[in-house]
Amino acid sequence: MNQYISPYSFFRVAYSIFQQAEKDSPTAFTRSFNIARRRVRLRFANDRLAYMFTPAFEHLAVRHAEHLVSDLDICIIDSASTHKPLYMPRWQSRDYLRRGELQRYSNDQIITTYNYHDGTFNLVNLQDNIAIFWARDHDTLPWWIAGSPLQRIINCWMQKHGLQLTHAGAVGNKSGGILLAGKGGAGKSTTALACMDAGLYYVSEDYCLIGHEPQPYVHSVYNSAKLEPNTMLKFPHLEPFVANKNKQPHEKALIFQQDVCPQRIIDGFPIRAVFVPKRTDNHATVIEPCSKASALLALSASTMFQLSNCYQPTLRNLKQLLTSVPAYSLLLGTNLDLVTSSIIEFLGGEKMA
Amino acid sequence: MCQSRYYQIQTHGVIFEAIDDEIVIINLDVGHYYHLTGVAAAIWTLLERNGSKDRIVTTVAAHFNLSEELINEQVQCFLDELENEKLVILNMQSTVEEGSEQVEHEFKAVGEFVTPRLEKYADMKDLLLIDPIHEVDEHGWPNRPPAVPAIILE
């Protein structure tokens, strides 16, 4: 049995195996993306891994970036296609925390998680700004990774820069917009897509980065949307753009807005308010003030339970947002045109140019 | 003479923030989250300063001009609920320094007395690891127990 090693040693071993795989592969390549004004370079051990990771970031792609310095390198590898096993140090069940954090292989600079839901290891070296996403076999990765890839790595690294990956939709115009907070099924996706169709800019449907300097600001990360069948029925024009056409019955339809309407995606805007959508049977939509604590609950619960490395600083970070902007209940009516007109009116009637 | 009870807010796995005189609490280990308003939020803030149940009862009764007997029952019910949810730990002696003169201040934003309630939400619980690692394969990778279904994240 392998022995316990230090977090840094585990990272170094994993990184050296990746580097060897990268060197050995004739199809290894890199792509760069500007995420929240930071240059993030994805380094693929071979070309079989890219299809799942790049479409969601395509709206933030940096062209001809081969010689540019990156702020963060994310190394993406699987053992099956590279024939490179990951060295597994010793562990026991008690080494794991609830959301997959491997505390024995983490410290102030190295964060190691085993993502139970997709079966991958995620290692982030905050000191050297290098992260590793390691899967057993890319063919067995779950479909939803393509919609919001590398969540845990992006969250851990961006936290160091004061940004929090947050489970929220975001739509607006260039001068500002709203966050849509709430768990799945609350109406975030429907509202975000309807607003995009009505002429607002789209930052996110489910995950975005939130910062505070110099003002509350939301940054786009993914251009994807994951839609339930009943939501798809409301947007039939999206049917030709479903990326996972052979999806299983339990899978949502995956859309990349970059394929649908790239001019309506924006990389970010100031946050003017947090909306908490709630479905109603009424025809009209009503926007009414709600308590900031309710909005903090809606924003924080689904964020903190879905991501690793979210503790008191994350809750404080989201509270800081809510101390700066107002919170509203968005009582969604059944008429989508009235939903969007209410939001556009709230934003002062301004749509995209 | 009855021994006074002291309650200490759980620090392991429980985080909270106050905003606009309301409290948001998240139990990261269990997957439950909570919302406190009014008298309940004020009591929680008192627990942060001084976990003496007697002192909380005296303060609440004096502020709302109600009998200590009535308040004692309602405060004890609320504290029992917090303890059952593992949000506080019962001690027989104070682990917090004696409260300050600001104690009374916590109730200034509260209007009429309303029975303190803990609003609990459990709809995120399934997102947590239930039974993370049963065994590893021949290469040392952890295996998901076959009985646990995959959870589809949004």
Side-chain angles (χ1 to χ4, degrees):
Chain A
M1 178 183 287
N2 292 329
Q3 296 303 305
Y4 286 122
I5 57 177
S6 74
Y8 191 70
S9 296
F10 184 29
F11 182 86
R12 290 303 309 172
V13 170
Y15 187 50
S16 66
I17 300 171
F18 171 81
Q19 285 177 303
Q20 191 61 51
E22 191 179 40
K23 193 176 160 191
D24 291 348
S25 169
T27 62
F29 74 104
T30 66
R31 289 286 312 276
S32 289
F33 303 91
N34 262 335
I35 303 176
R37 298 173 190 149
R38 272 89 178 164
R39 184 158 297 126
V40 177
R41 182 169 61 175
L42 305 190
R43 292 165 57 184
F44 294 96
N46 63 45
D47 59 1
R48 296 176 64 189
L49 296 157
Y51 73 99
M52 259 194 136
F53 293 87
T54 54
F57 299 115
E58 207 57 59
H59 62 305
L60 304 173
V62 180
R63 308 291 171 200
H64 311 297
E66 293 80 8
H67 304 295
L68 299 176
V69 175
S70 66
D71 297 307
L72 169 67
D73 271 10
I74 304 179
C75 308
I76 300 170
I77 182 171
D78 78 331
S79 294
S81 71
T82 61
H83 307 292
K84 301 280 187 199
L86 172 60
Y87 171 83
M88 290 294 174
R90 186 179 179 190
W91 62 49
Q92 294 179 342
S93 294
R94 65 171 181 267
D95 297 331
Y96 288 80
L97 299 183
R98 275 287 187 189
R99 286 161 299 156
E101 295 100 332
L102 261 170
Q103 52 186 347
R104 181 172 285 276
Y105 296 106
S106 300
N107 58 24
D108 288 347
Q109 296 302 329
I110 307 285
I111 298 167
T112 303
T113 59
Y114 173 69
N115 190 336
Y116 183 67
H117 298 299
D118 62 21
T120 64
F121 270 96
N122 296 234
L123 299 94
V124 184
N125 182 332
L126 295 172
Q127 185 174 314
D128 299 335
N129 298 310
I130 300 171
I132 303 171
F133 177 96
W134 203 302
R136 269 180 275 204
D137 182 350
H138 72 280
D139 274 341
T140 61
L141 288 172
W143 66 274
W144 41 262
I145 279 194
S148 45
L150 308 171
Q151 276 180 354
R152 290 178 177 223
I153 288 172
I154 290 170
N155 184 45
C156 285
W157 189 80
M158 289 291 181
Q159 282 178 338
K160 175 181 149 185
H161 299 277
L163 297 160
Q164 175 62 46
L165 191 65
T166 304
H167 187 226
V171 288
N173 53 46
K174 280 186 175 170
S175 59
I178 57 163
L179 283 189
L180 297 159
K183 61 179 181 174
K188 294 191 304 296
S189 301
T190 304
T191 305
L193 293 180
C195 285
M196 190 180 181
D197 284 351
L200 290 180
Y201 282 109
Y202 179 96
V203 162
S204 77
E205 175 255 351
D206 64 352
Y207 278 97
C208 51
L209 281 162
I210 290 174
H212 304 287
E213 301 298 336
Q215 59 183 324
Y217 202 91
V218 57
H219 300 271
S220 183
V221 183
Y222 308 117
N223 71 76
S224 55
K226 286 165 271 183
L227 307 178
E228 296 278 8
N230 58 352
T231 308
M232 275 303 292
L233 293 175
K234 294 173 187 162
F235 304 96
H237 63 285
L238 295 178
E239 195 63 50
F241 298 100
V242 173
N244 53 341
K245 289 199 189 306
N246 298 320
K247 62 184 186 296
Q248 299 297 310
H250 66 275
E251 294 181 13
K252 294 181 183 181
L254 179 61
I255 308 279
F256 295 106
Q257 298 293 6
Q258 182 72 5
D259 299 336
V260 181
C261 199
Q263 67 273 22
R264 291 208 179 154
I265 307 171
I266 193 168
D267 58 4
F269 47 58
I271 301 169
R272 302 259 297 271
V274 175
F275 278 27
V276 182
K278 286 178 191 148
R279 296 181 190 277
T280 75
D281 294 328
N282 300 328
H283 182 70
T285 288
V286 174
I287 298 170
E288 61 181 29
C290 73
S291 84
K292 294 195 172 196
S294 304
L296 180 58
L297 274 178
L299 211 49
S300 60
S302 57
T303 297
M304 300 190 70
F305 291 127
Q306 291 194 43
L307 295 171
S308 58
N309 208 43
C310 288
Y311 297 99
Q312 189 79 49
T314 298
L315 188 59
R316 196 170 299 136
N317 195 322
L318 297 174
K319 172 190 163 179
Q320 186 183 345
L321 168 69
L322 281 157
T323 55
S324 310
V325 301
Y328 296 89
S329 289
L330 176 64
L331 305 175
L332 293 168
T334 52
N335 183 316
L336 270 185
D337 290 339
L338 296 179
V339 173
T340 56
S341 61
S342 301
I343 292 171
I344 291 168
E345 187 183 343
F346 177 88
L347 291 171
E350 185 190 344
K351 295 194 265 186
M352 60 181 284
Chain B
M1 182 179 161
C2 283
Q3 194 175 10
S4 186
R5 290 168 169 236
Y6 292 86
Y7 291 84
Q8 181 187 348
I9 293 174
Q10 173 66 264
T11 54
H12 182 78
V14 173
I15 59 173
F16 65 93
E17 283 291 337
I19 184 165
D20 284 357
D21 298 313
E22 298 183 10
I23 309 284
V24 168
I25 308 168
I26 298 181
N27 188 329
L28 292 167
D29 286 344
V30 179
H32 295 159
Y33 55 107
Y34 309 86
H35 184 196
L36 302 180
T37 60
V39 176
I43 291 175
W44 182 271
T45 309
L46 289 184
L47 288 170
E48 278 187 86
R49 297 178 192 280
N50 180 312
S52 160
K53 189 199 93 174
D54 289 350
R55 181 147 186 185
I56 290 170
V57 170
T58 309
T59 307
V60 175
H63 182 83
F64 294 102
N65 200 21
L66 295 168
S67 80
E68 286 194 15
E69 192 178 10
L70 171 76
I71 296 300
N72 181 60
E73 193 177 317
Q74 300 207 15
V75 166
Q76 188 59 60
C77 277
F78 178 61
L79 293 172
D80 288 346
E81 208 177 352
L82 294 178
E83 192 187 356
N84 288 339
E85 293 295 324
K86 298 185 169 48
L87 301 177
V88 298
I89 301 165
L90 173 63
N91 285 317
M92 283 306 152
Q93 60 183 33
S94 176
T95 55
V96 184
E97 281 189 22
E98 271 303 298
S100 70
E101 57 289 342
Q102 288 186 324
V103 166
E104 178 73 11
H105 173 77
E106 303 309 334
F107 290 92
K108 288 219 168 113
V110 181
E112 290 184 359
F113 179 83
V114 178
T115 302
R117 280 184 57 236
L118 178 64
E119 292 174 36
K120 174 181 171 180
Y121 303 88
D123 50 355
M124 292 290 161
K125 194 176 174 180
D126 289 345
L127 291 177
L128 289 185
L129 291 171
I130 305 302
D131 190 3
I133 305 303
H134 269 196
E135 55 186 23
V136 294
D137 66 14
E138 68 274 22
H139 301 297
W141 282 79
N143 276 335
R144 183 204 303 272
V148 179
I151 291 177
I152 308 305
L153 301 180
E154 193 189 353

